[in-house]
Amino acid sequence: MKQSEFTKQQYISLRKEIEQTKGRIFKILGFSLITVPSFQFLSYTLHVEMLLTLIPILVIVVALLYLSENHSLMRLGKFIKDEIEAKYKNGWETWLQQYHKKTRTGDKFRSYIFYLLFFFYYAFSVYLACSYLKEEVTIEIYIVLLAVYVSIGIWFSIFLIQNTKNSTNV
């Protein structure tokens, strides 16, 4: 295969992967919007309130899935710009970087909204879990579990803030 044909096929494959990654990102966002409240509703409906203690972990898992896909998207665009388009001194990613860097707010807003959704879901799910645990366990166990939830929340918040630049740098 000639280098030009390889580059063309590579570019087509990477653009297709970007399309699929964006689809997965929106599915993850939709999944989180539906699943987290549904999980809480089902725990009360089925009288299995112990499930409330798992919702904060579900929120973390969904957030990690989102971050993984979003970082993949950023890597794909950077590879196309730096490795393929650099040879031709122009292309979609290069053009976006040069002329629309300040106006590509849609990607940034999507990430910021997800982060806000994460903070809200995590805080509310910890509140629900602790409300349940307060009645079910001793005060010592309650304090330990609350400390674990708060520590995980702080750690993951710091992780999200540090990764904001990577996941919104367009």
Side-chain angles (χ1 to χ4, degrees), residues 28 32 56-71 114-115 118-119 156 159-160:
I28 290 168
S32 67
I57 286 123
L58 176 65
V59 172
I60 296 286
V61 168
V62 170
L64 287 172
L65 287 171
Y66 172 82
L67 280 176
S68 173
E69 289 297 325
N70 201 49
H71 283 242
F114 174 77
Y115 297 152
F118 162 75
F119 288 122
F156 202 71
F159 179 74
L160 279 178

mmCIF file of all heavy atoms in Angstrom, residues 28 32 56-71 114-115 118-119 156 159-160:
data_model
loop_
_atom_site.group_PDB
_atom_site.id
_atom_site.type_symbol
_atom_site.label_atom_id
_atom_site.label_comp_id
_atom_site.label_asym_id
_atom_site.label_seq_id
_atom_site.Cartn_x
_atom_site.Cartn_y
_atom_site.Cartn_z
ATOM 1 N N ILE A 28 -23.417 7.894 27.102
ATOM 2 C CA ILE A 28 -23.031 7.901 28.512
ATOM 3 C C ILE A 28 -23.775 8.998 29.256
ATOM 4 O O ILE A 28 -24.286 8.782 30.370
ATOM 5 C CB ILE A 28 -21.501 8.052 28.667
ATOM 6 C CG1 ILE A 28 -20.793 6.777 28.194
ATOM 7 C CG2 ILE A 28 -21.116 8.387 30.108
ATOM 8 C CD1 ILE A 28 -19.299 6.931 28.029
ATOM 9 N N SER A 32 -26.465 8.339 32.190
ATOM 10 C CA SER A 32 -26.366 8.895 33.537
ATOM 11 C C SER A 32 -27.621 9.681 33.910
ATOM 12 O O SER A 32 -28.069 9.616 35.054
ATOM 13 C CB SER A 32 -25.122 9.777 33.678
ATOM 14 O OG SER A 32 -25.243 10.941 32.889
ATOM 15 N N PRO A 56 -23.497 6.444 44.816
ATOM 16 C CA PRO A 56 -22.285 7.260 44.627
ATOM 17 C C PRO A 56 -21.219 6.548 43.790
ATOM 18 O O PRO A 56 -20.535 7.174 42.978
ATOM 19 C CB PRO A 56 -21.800 7.518 46.058
ATOM 20 C CG PRO A 56 -23.035 7.419 46.891
ATOM 21 C CD PRO A 56 -23.860 6.350 46.240
ATOM 22 N N ILE A 57 -21.095 5.235 43.955
ATOM 23 C CA ILE A 57 -20.115 4.485 43.164
ATOM 24 C C ILE A 57 -20.542 4.450 41.704
ATOM 25 O O ILE A 57 -19.713 4.586 40.800
ATOM 26 C CB ILE A 57 -19.932 3.070 43.751
ATOM 27 C CG1 ILE A 57 -19.127 3.176 45.011
ATOM 28 C CG2 ILE A 57 -19.181 2.165 42.809
ATOM 29 C CD1 ILE A 57 -19.487 2.752 46.240
ATOM 30 N N LEU A 58 -21.842 4.305 41.460
ATOM 31 C CA LEU A 58 -22.364 4.350 40.088
ATOM 32 C C LEU A 58 -22.035 5.688 39.433
ATOM 33 O O LEU A 58 -21.627 5.733 38.261
ATOM 34 C CB LEU A 58 -23.878 4.110 40.098
ATOM 35 C CG LEU A 58 -24.594 4.222 38.758
ATOM 36 C CD1 LEU A 58 -24.125 3.134 37.799
ATOM 37 C CD2 LEU A 58 -26.100 4.157 38.956
ATOM 38 N N VAL A 59 -22.180 6.762 40.174
ATOM 39 C CA VAL A 59 -21.863 8.098 39.645
ATOM 40 C C VAL A 59 -20.386 8.188 39.269
ATOM 41 O O VAL A 59 -20.035 8.688 38.195
ATOM 42 C CB VAL A 59 -22.252 9.198 40.651
ATOM 43 C CG1 VAL A 59 -21.759 10.566 40.198
ATOM 44 C CG2 VAL A 59 -23.755 9.221 40.869
ATOM 45 N N ILE A 60 -19.514 7.678 40.120
ATOM 46 C CA ILE A 60 -18.072 7.694 39.838
ATOM 47 C C ILE A 60 -17.764 6.877 38.578
ATOM 48 O O ILE A 60 -16.993 7.308 37.721
ATOM 49 C CB ILE A 60 -17.264 7.148 41.038
ATOM 50 C CG1 ILE A 60 -17.423 8.039 42.258
ATOM 51 C CG2 ILE A 60 -15.796 6.948 40.685
ATOM 52 C CD1 ILE A 60 -16.688 9.342 42.211
ATOM 53 N N VAL A 61 -18.368 5.706 38.464
ATOM 54 C CA VAL A 61 -18.123 4.843 37.298
ATOM 55 C C VAL A 61 -18.568 5.546 36.008
ATOM 56 O O VAL A 61 -17.842 5.548 35.007
ATOM 57 C CB VAL A 61 -18.830 3.477 37.465
ATOM 58 C CG1 VAL A 61 -18.848 2.692 36.172
ATOM 59 C CG2 VAL A 61 -18.152 2.676 38.560
ATOM 60 N N VAL A 62 -19.740 6.165 36.034
ATOM 61 C CA VAL A 62 -20.226 6.881 34.847
ATOM 62 C C VAL A 62 -19.289 8.038 34.511
ATOM 63 O O VAL A 62 -18.973 8.277 33.343
ATOM 64 C CB VAL A 62 -21.681 7.365 35.051
ATOM 65 C CG1 VAL A 62 -22.107 8.304 33.953
ATOM 66 C CG2 VAL A 62 -22.629 6.178 35.130
ATOM 67 N N ALA A 63 -18.828 8.753 35.536
ATOM 68 C CA ALA A 63 -17.901 9.871 35.301
ATOM 69 C C ALA A 63 -16.598 9.376 34.678
ATOM 70 O O ALA A 63 -16.055 10.016 33.767
ATOM 71 C CB ALA A 63 -17.627 10.611 36.606
ATOM 72 N N LEU A 64 -16.095 8.252 35.150
ATOM 73 C CA LEU A 64 -14.864 7.696 34.576
ATOM 74 C C LEU A 64 -15.074 7.254 33.124
ATOM 75 O O LEU A 64 -14.187 7.435 32.287
ATOM 76 C CB LEU A 64 -14.357 6.532 35.419
ATOM 77 C CG LEU A 64 -13.732 6.909 36.754
ATOM 78 C CD1 LEU A 64 -13.441 5.666 37.588
ATOM 79 C CD2 LEU A 64 -12.475 7.740 36.558
ATOM 80 N N LEU A 65 -16.229 6.681 32.827
ATOM 81 C CA LEU A 65 -16.533 6.311 31.443
ATOM 82 C C LEU A 65 -16.544 7.547 30.539
ATOM 83 O O LEU A 65 -15.986 7.541 29.444
ATOM 84 C CB LEU A 65 -17.890 5.598 31.352
ATOM 85 C CG LEU A 65 -17.952 4.184 31.890
ATOM 86 C CD1 LEU A 65 -19.399 3.700 31.944
ATOM 87 C CD2 LEU A 65 -17.104 3.252 31.041
ATOM 88 N N TYR A 66 -17.182 8.603 31.023
ATOM 89 C CA TYR A 66 -17.224 9.849 30.254
ATOM 90 C C TYR A 66 -15.819 10.398 30.026
ATOM 91 O O TYR A 66 -15.453 10.755 28.904
ATOM 92 C CB TYR A 66 -18.076 10.893 30.975
ATOM 93 C CG TYR A 66 -17.988 12.245 30.312
ATOM 94 C CD1 TYR A 66 -18.759 12.540 29.201
ATOM 95 C CD2 TYR A 66 -17.107 13.212 30.773
ATOM 96 C CE1 TYR A 66 -18.664 13.775 28.574
ATOM 97 C CE2 TYR A 66 -17.002 14.441 30.153
ATOM 98 C CZ TYR A 66 -17.778 14.715 29.056
ATOM 99 O OH TYR A 66 -17.665 15.918 28.440
ATOM 100 N N LEU A 67 -15.031 10.467 31.086
ATOM 101 C CA LEU A 67 -13.665 10.992 30.955
ATOM 102 C C LEU A 67 -12.841 10.164 29.978
ATOM 103 O O LEU A 67 -12.087 10.713 29.177
ATOM 104 C CB LEU A 67 -12.969 11.030 32.314
ATOM 105 C CG LEU A 67 -13.323 12.194 33.214
ATOM 106 C CD1 LEU A 67 -12.637 12.042 34.567
ATOM 107 C CD2 LEU A 67 -12.949 13.507 32.579
ATOM 108 N N SER A 68 -12.983 8.868 30.050
ATOM 109 C CA SER A 68 -12.243 7.993 29.152
ATOM 110 C C SER A 68 -12.583 8.287 27.689
ATOM 111 O O SER A 68 -11.690 8.424 26.848
ATOM 112 C CB SER A 68 -12.559 6.535 29.486
ATOM 113 O OG SER A 68 -11.983 5.679 28.541
ATOM 114 N N GLU A 69 -13.859 8.389 27.397
ATOM 115 C CA GLU A 69 -14.278 8.669 26.019
ATOM 116 C C GLU A 69 -13.869 10.073 25.584
ATOM 117 O O GLU A 69 -13.443 10.279 24.448
ATOM 118 C CB GLU A 69 -15.794 8.492 25.868
ATOM 119 C CG GLU A 69 -16.247 7.064 25.935
ATOM 120 C CD GLU A 69 -15.692 6.195 24.821
ATOM 121 O OE1 GLU A 69 -15.524 6.670 23.679
ATOM 122 O OE2 GLU A 69 -15.418 5.019 25.092
ATOM 123 N N ASN A 70 -14.000 11.037 26.484
ATOM 124 C CA ASN A 70 -13.650 12.404 26.125
ATOM 125 C C ASN A 70 -12.150 12.545 25.875
ATOM 126 O O ASN A 70 -11.724 13.219 24.939
ATOM 127 C CB ASN A 70 -14.110 13.376 27.210
ATOM 128 C CG ASN A 70 -14.226 14.784 26.676
ATOM 129 O OD1 ASN A 70 -14.831 15.007 25.643
ATOM 130 N ND2 ASN A 70 -13.637 15.725 27.379
ATOM 131 N N HIS A 71 -11.340 11.879 26.672
ATOM 132 C CA HIS A 71 -9.889 11.914 26.455
ATOM 133 C C HIS A 71 -9.535 11.213 25.144
ATOM 134 O O HIS A 71 -8.629 11.648 24.427
ATOM 135 C CB HIS A 71 -9.151 11.287 27.633
ATOM 136 C CG HIS A 71 -9.087 12.194 28.819
ATOM 137 N ND1 HIS A 71 -7.925 12.665 29.342
ATOM 138 C CD2 HIS A 71 -10.066 12.730 29.575
ATOM 139 C CE1 HIS A 71 -8.171 13.451 30.362
ATOM 140 N NE2 HIS A 71 -9.470 13.496 30.521
ATOM 141 N N PHE A 114 -21.403 18.320 32.194
ATOM 142 C CA PHE A 114 -21.218 16.994 32.775
ATOM 143 C C PHE A 114 -20.606 17.101 34.162
ATOM 144 O O PHE A 114 -21.027 16.410 35.088
ATOM 145 C CB PHE A 114 -20.349 16.105 31.903
ATOM 146 C CG PHE A 114 -20.058 14.799 32.585
ATOM 147 C CD1 PHE A 114 -21.008 13.807 32.633
ATOM 148 C CD2 PHE A 114 -18.859 14.602 33.235
ATOM 149 C CE1 PHE A 114 -20.767 12.630 33.316
ATOM 150 C CE2 PHE A 114 -18.609 13.433 33.917
ATOM 151 C CZ PHE A 114 -19.567 12.440 33.951
ATOM 152 N N TYR A 115 -19.605 17.951 34.338
ATOM 153 C CA TYR A 115 -18.973 18.090 35.641
ATOM 154 C C TYR A 115 -19.977 18.580 36.680
ATOM 155 O O TYR A 115 -20.007 18.087 37.806
ATOM 156 C CB TYR A 115 -17.770 19.032 35.576
ATOM 157 C CG TYR A 115 -16.652 18.531 34.687
ATOM 158 C CD1 TYR A 115 -15.794 19.407 34.063
ATOM 159 C CD2 TYR A 115 -16.469 17.171 34.455
ATOM 160 C CE1 TYR A 115 -14.770 18.951 33.247
ATOM 161 C CE2 TYR A 115 -15.454 16.713 33.639
ATOM 162 C CZ TYR A 115 -14.611 17.605 33.040
ATOM 163 O OH TYR A 115 -13.603 17.153 32.236
ATOM 164 N N PHE A 118 -22.173 15.736 37.497
ATOM 165 C CA PHE A 118 -21.464 14.825 38.398
ATOM 166 C C PHE A 118 -21.510 15.335 39.835
ATOM 167 O O PHE A 118 -21.839 14.585 40.754
ATOM 168 C CB PHE A 118 -20.006 14.644 37.965
ATOM 169 C CG PHE A 118 -19.153 14.097 39.082
ATOM 170 C CD1 PHE A 118 -19.237 12.762 39.445
ATOM 171 C CD2 PHE A 118 -18.298 14.922 39.793
ATOM 172 C CE1 PHE A 118 -18.479 12.259 40.499
ATOM 173 C CE2 PHE A 118 -17.544 14.433 40.837
ATOM 174 C CZ PHE A 118 -17.632 13.096 41.191
ATOM 175 N N PHE A 119 -21.174 16.606 40.040
ATOM 176 C CA PHE A 119 -21.164 17.147 41.403
ATOM 177 C C PHE A 119 -22.548 17.040 42.042
ATOM 178 O O PHE A 119 -22.679 16.640 43.193
ATOM 179 C CB PHE A 119 -20.688 18.604 41.410
ATOM 180 C CG PHE A 119 -19.221 18.759 41.150
ATOM 181 C CD1 PHE A 119 -18.778 19.523 40.095
ATOM 182 C CD2 PHE A 119 -18.273 18.146 41.961
ATOM 183 C CE1 PHE A 119 -17.419 19.668 39.844
ATOM 184 C CE2 PHE A 119 -16.912 18.288 41.728
ATOM 185 C CZ PHE A 119 -16.491 19.054 40.663
ATOM 186 N N PHE A 156 -12.059 12.760 43.728
ATOM 187 C CA PHE A 156 -12.525 12.743 42.349
ATOM 188 C C PHE A 156 -12.779 14.153 41.819
ATOM 189 O O PHE A 156 -12.548 14.422 40.645
ATOM 190 C CB PHE A 156 -13.772 11.872 42.197
ATOM 191 C CG PHE A 156 -13.961 11.405 40.793
ATOM 192 C CD1 PHE A 156 -13.106 10.450 40.250
ATOM 193 C CD2 PHE A 156 -14.954 11.932 39.997
ATOM 194 C CE1 PHE A 156 -13.251 10.027 38.939
ATOM 195 C CE2 PHE A 156 -15.111 11.512 38.684
ATOM 196 C CZ PHE A 156 -14.260 10.556 38.161
ATOM 197 N N PHE A 159 -9.464 15.382 40.803
ATOM 198 C CA PHE A 159 -9.117 14.687 39.565
ATOM 199 C C PHE A 159 -9.838 15.313 38.368
ATOM 200 O O PHE A 159 -9.231 15.554 37.325
ATOM 201 C CB PHE A 159 -9.488 13.202 39.706
ATOM 202 C CG PHE A 159 -9.199 12.378 38.485
ATOM 203 C CD1 PHE A 159 -7.911 12.021 38.156
ATOM 204 C CD2 PHE A 159 -10.244 11.951 37.669
ATOM 205 C CE1 PHE A 159 -7.652 11.249 37.035
ATOM 206 C CE2 PHE A 159 -9.994 11.181 36.548
ATOM 207 C CZ PHE A 159 -8.687 10.830 36.224
ATOM 208 N N LEU A 160 -11.128 15.611 38.512
ATOM 209 C CA LEU A 160 -11.888 16.232 37.418
ATOM 210 C C LEU A 160 -11.356 17.631 37.093
ATOM 211 O O LEU A 160 -11.190 17.976 35.924
ATOM 212 C CB LEU A 160 -13.367 16.332 37.767
ATOM 213 C CG LEU A 160 -14.211 15.089 37.585
ATOM 214 C CD1 LEU A 160 -15.642 15.368 38.019
ATOM 215 C CD2 LEU A 160 -14.188 14.608 36.156
#
